Amino acid sequence: MAESTISIAALSLFAIFCTFYLVDGELQTFGRVLNPTELGLKKEKLSHFLMYRHDIVSGPNPTAIEVASAPTTRNSSTFFGGVVMMDDPLTEGPELSSKLVGRAQGFYASAGINELAMLVNFNFAFMVGEYNGSTISIMGRDALLSEKVREMPIVGGAGVFRFARGYVQVRTQKVNVTSGDAVIEYNIYVFHY
């Protein structure tokens, strides 16, 4: 009985010891627990931003262009399978002439067979004030016609927005049915340090 207890204890210690070494016998140093203040992280705060994205698909200088589609995309009422890359202006007000605060860079893809629902994946890259050079990353579902206010998660960020989390509320302000150009309002609620 005593020998089996010693054997189990020895085996357990050996297993614990082995978890700290890689296959080649090197000590694992790739992961460690950090103190957030060592990274300059202070108290987390919640910020709100209101801005407008101008999706310009027409004219000689579009900011959003189709980069991929399926053979059946053109016959689909929801543009299913179409992928659009964008570098849209973000402005302080709903008019394109409003103050430019950043760019929305990324893509949206039609992911709904029976409804106009987009998969969106983009960064809001800020260009003004203390946020200049920082980004907020958004990825989610945008059901354009079925919901007046859509909600998507903030999945991260960089610069001032490191460790960002939160959500955005999206409202379509204006769509030009002839050109396809649109103005979309973003209410952003983001926790960051």
Side-chain angles (χ1 to χ4, degrees):
M1 176 95 170
E3 285 180 26
S4 66
T5 303
I6 292 172
S7 296
I8 292 172
L11 186 57
S12 296
L13 285 173
F14 178 73
I16 291 169
F17 178 76
C18 288
T19 61
F20 291 105
Y21 283 87
L22 297 172
V23 175
D24 64 3
E26 295 290 321
L27 182 62
Q28 290 184 10
T29 59
F30 62 88
R32 62 190 172 106
V33 176
L34 296 174
N35 181 342
T37 56
E38 290 176 5
L39 293 175
L41 301 177
K42 298 174 182 146
K43 185 177 179 184
E44 188 176 41
K45 56 190 162 202
L46 174 63
S47 295
H48 172 253
F49 299 93
L50 173 63
M51 62 191 67
Y52 298 84
R53 179 171 68 88
H54 300 268
D55 197 49
I56 304 166
V57 297
S58 68
N61 298 307
T63 61
I65 58 169
E66 181 182 346
V67 294
S69 64
T72 57
T73 298
R74 295 279 178 252
N75 298 327
S76 167
S77 63
T78 63
F79 192 60
F80 181 66
V83 180
V84 174
M85 191 64 61
M86 65 178 190
D87 184 2
D88 290 344
L90 292 171
T91 61
E92 204 171 61
E95 302 304 322
L96 186 55
S97 59
S98 298
K99 180 180 178 182
L100 183 69
V101 296
R103 306 292 297 187
Q105 298 171 326
F107 70 88
Y108 52 89
S110 180
I113 292 175
N114 298 314
E115 69 174 317
L116 193 56
M118 299 291 176
L119 162 66
V120 298
N121 187 344
F122 47 79
N123 291 308
F124 279 8
F126 294 95
M127 303 164 56
V128 295
E130 67 181 286
Y131 308 109
N132 187 24
S134 297
T135 61
I136 292 176
S137 300
I138 299 165
M139 182 176 174
R141 180 179 187 266
D142 189 355
L144 297 166
L145 300 178
S146 61
E147 301 171 18
K148 185 176 180 178
V149 178
R150 288 96 61 197
E151 190 172 292
M152 291 179 275
I154 293 171
V155 296
V160 171
F161 300 108
R162 287 184 191 136
F163 297 104
R165 61 189 170 86
Y167 67 98
V168 297
Q169 290 181 324
V170 182
R171 290 177 182 83
T172 302
Q173 289 292 309
K174 181 172 64 172
V175 177
N176 182 321
V177 293
T178 305
S179 69
D181 295 348
V183 178
I184 303 100
E185 176 186 289
Y186 287 83
N187 269 285
I188 301 171
Y189 300 89
V190 58
F191 281 103
H192 61 101
Y193 290 92

